[in-house]
Amino acid sequence: MSNIILTGDRPTGRLHIGHYVGSLRRRVELQNSGEYDKIYIMIADAQALTDNMDNPEKVRQNIIEVALDYVSAGLDPAKSTLFIQSQISELTELTFYYMNLVTVSRLQRNPTVKSEIQLRNFEASIPVGFFTYPISQAADITFCKANVVPVGEDQLPMIEQTKEIVHKFNAIYAPDTPVLVEPKALIPEAEACKRLPGTDGKAKMSKSLGNCIYLADSADEVRTKIMSMYTDPLHLQVSDPGHLEGNTVFTYLDAFARDEHFERYCPDYANLDEMKAHYTKGGLGDVKVKKFLNNVIQEELEPIRVRRAAYEKDIPEIYNILKRGSDAAREVAAQTLSEVKQAMKIDYFEDMELIREQSARYKGL
Ligand code: ATP
Ligand code: MG
């Protein structure tokens, strides 16, 4: 079996360090590992429209932002297919057929959709398109027969839903030779990276919550955001014992800091454990920890920032990359759709057996 990756992001804003540790950094590693036959990276504009239906300009403007973040972070169009979801019309067809395989109550039980409905105040009237986006995500994952989907933890229920659809589709329509491939989620190992909290301490850094450090933020913006970050409200004096639980600065260090960073920026400690021990004992101030975090994050973001500045000089080339990627993705999607239609017995004009059998029947043979 081939090793195929699909993953992506909604063009609802620039990408932030939550995306980076949750998925983007991993994608670049996987891309460069040489272990994958194909890597598809999708800008999910059609999905973004399900909760931004009245703001198409926002979605349109953010395609280039996400694409610039991709290439700046190290996704290489020569190795990965970067494409735009809405340009692959086969995806909507697949979604339509998969809808028959999912119940309303199953969608209502999806915990991510539940919390997103709350977040967007959709309780009273949920757009049908939004409600069904887990089904369209199944189309996104299956069109290229992806078996690996590197995502943040919030996406686990979506992968589960996709697996169910694949299982049901194959069981009903293709029991002998399965057409669709069951994917598995690849979520970060480190707890902090699974769902990076926002700079305000809220459960998740998210474009929709405005609590983000963006990959494209300037060095000054990053520093300002870090220095005003949420820490431990009980840690008033430097001498007070500090708490690590819910302390976002330490969560970010968990996600980013390596031992060599201590050597470079904070040689008082050999590693993060030592720094944490001092903090919980008392005597280590938040400002010192934040300054260290700032150094660590700046080191990670600087090369991305430099590459972005170069790519920003040739926007038409970025669109060329997306166009080439979308053309390639469409070819693959057309092939899968034709297999799906054949399995579902809706390929009338290619089905010579059907036409032969019926004409024989009507001739009374
Ligand atoms: P939106 O608010 O528009 O939903 P978002 O910030 O949640 O935006 P998405 O485009 O929905 O971003 O997510 C893209 C990918 O990044 C997904 O794989 C998701 O799991 C991952 N991701 C998003 N936010 C985080 C986070 N804070 N920590 C870890 N992974 C994240
Ligand atoms: Mg999201």
Side-chain angles (χ1 to χ4, degrees):
M1 197 180 79
S2 331
N3 246 346
I4 300 174
I5 287 181
L6 176 117
T7 186
D9 306 271
R10 296 150 39 93
T12 49
R14 292 176 164 190
L15 298 185
H16 51 66
I17 60 170
H19 297 119
Y20 187 69
V21 299
S23 177
L24 192 50
R25 180 164 68 180
R26 188 71 163 285
R27 288 178 210 173
V28 176
E29 284 165 16
L30 296 172
Q31 167 195 273
N32 297 334
S33 74
E35 285 170 21
Y36 290 86
D37 301 299
K38 277 279 177 194
I39 299 177
Y40 294 93
I41 311 285
M42 181 183 79
I43 301 184
D45 61 335
Q47 189 192 116
L49 283 167
T50 65
D51 59 330
N52 291 279
M53 69 295 276
D54 52 355
N55 204 348
E57 195 56 27
K58 170 175 159 189
V59 173
R60 190 164 96 109
Q61 294 298 340
N62 277 306
I63 299 233
I64 192 69
E65 298 301 335
V66 172
L68 282 166
D69 285 331
Y70 281 170
V71 288
S72 313
L75 288 176
D76 175 357
K79 297 180 183 160
S80 298
T81 305
L82 310 182
F83 71 99
I84 305 179
Q85 184 186 29
S86 63
Q87 303 309 295
I88 321 298
S89 50
E90 286 80 0
L91 293 176
T92 53
E93 264 189 86
L94 288 173
T95 305
F96 189 70
Y97 297 131
Y98 295 169
M99 280 185 177
N100 301 331
L101 307 174
V102 182
T103 63
V104 170
S105 66
R106 176 65 184 87
L107 287 175
Q108 279 167 333
R109 279 201 311 274
N110 184 313
T112 302
V113 174
K114 259 194 204 164
S115 68
E116 288 179 337
I117 284 171
Q118 249 176 3
L119 186 75
R120 290 162 176 77
N121 291 323
F122 276 165
E123 280 102 333
S125 65
I126 310 167
V128 174
F130 182 80
F131 185 60
T132 56
Y133 91 74
I135 306 178
S136 94
Q137 237 170 283
D140 303 334
I141 294 169
T142 54
F143 92 85
C144 58
K145 306 197 176 174
N147 58 330
V148 175
V149 188
V151 281
E153 190 183 46
D154 62 317
Q155 292 301 307
L156 283 179
M158 307 302 162
I159 312 296
E160 223 22 67
Q161 178 72 79
T162 299
K163 278 191 195 165
E164 285 173 31
I165 290 173
V166 169
H167 185 78
K168 207 159 175 184
F169 184 96
N170 286 337
I172 297 174
Y173 300 117
D176 301 328
T177 33
V179 167
L180 301 179
V181 173
E182 270 192 49
K184 77 167 194 294
L186 200 61
I187 58 169
E189 276 138 38
E191 209 48 48
C193 302
K194 289 183 179 160
R195 189 181 300 237
L196 198 77
T199 48
D200 55 359
K202 287 223 177 83
K204 184 178 170 237
M205 180 175 287
S206 163
K207 288 169 257 163
S208 310
L209 296 174
N211 55 6
C212 308
I213 294 176
Y214 293 100
L215 296 180
D217 277 347
S218 69
D220 280 348
E221 283 167 322
V222 172
R223 189 176 310 107
T224 308
K225 287 181 184 179
I226 290 178
M227 294 317 285
S228 55
M229 259 174 75
Y230 178 90
T231 55
D232 169 14
L234 302 172
H235 191 232
L236 299 171
Q237 314 262 355
V238 172
S239 55
D240 290 340
H243 299 85
L244 301 173
E245 181 106 351
N247 189 328
T248 315
V249 173
F250 278 96
T251 311
Y252 287 12
L253 285 175
D254 281 332
F256 284 98
R258 295 185 301 270
D259 292 356
E260 75 241 33
H261 289 134
F262 284 91
E263 237 169 81
R264 276 202 281 285
Y265 306 118
C266 200
D268 297 354
Y269 311 100
N271 54 43
L272 188 53
D273 288 340
E274 282 188 15
M275 184 183 236
K276 282 180 177 171
H278 191 191
Y279 189 79
T280 45
K281 195 167 99 215
L284 171 56
D286 285 332
V287 171
K288 184 165 174 178
V289 185
K290 284 180 174 177
K291 280 189 174 155
F292 175 62
L293 175 66
N294 179 56
N295 282 325
V296 170
I297 293 202
Q298 298 287 1
E299 184 183 307
E300 189 96 18
L301 297 190
E302 184 56 20
I304 300 178
R305 221 179 266 137
V306 169
R307 282 197 292 266
R308 200 181 213 272
Y311 283 118
E312 281 171 357
K313 295 202 173 79
D314 196 357
I315 297 299
E317 177 51 20
I318 304 290
Y319 277 101
N320 282 335
I321 290 169
L322 295 174
K323 168 88 169 54
R324 284 196 295 272
S326 300
D327 289 344
R330 200 178 310 121
E331 260 183 48
V332 175
Q335 173 59 33
T336 301
L337 180 63
S338 103
E339 291 169 30
V340 159
K341 287 173 119 171
Q342 192 184 9
M344 292 179 72
K345 299 189 179 297
I346 50 175
D347 61 334
Y348 314 108
F349 305 133
E350 281 90 56
D351 191 347
M352 291 310 143
E353 185 53 33
L354 171 79
I355 300 169
R356 225 180 353 256
E357 184 262 312
Q358 290 184 346
S359 57
R361 177 146 45 91
Y362 277 97
K363 278 185 190 149
L365 295 176

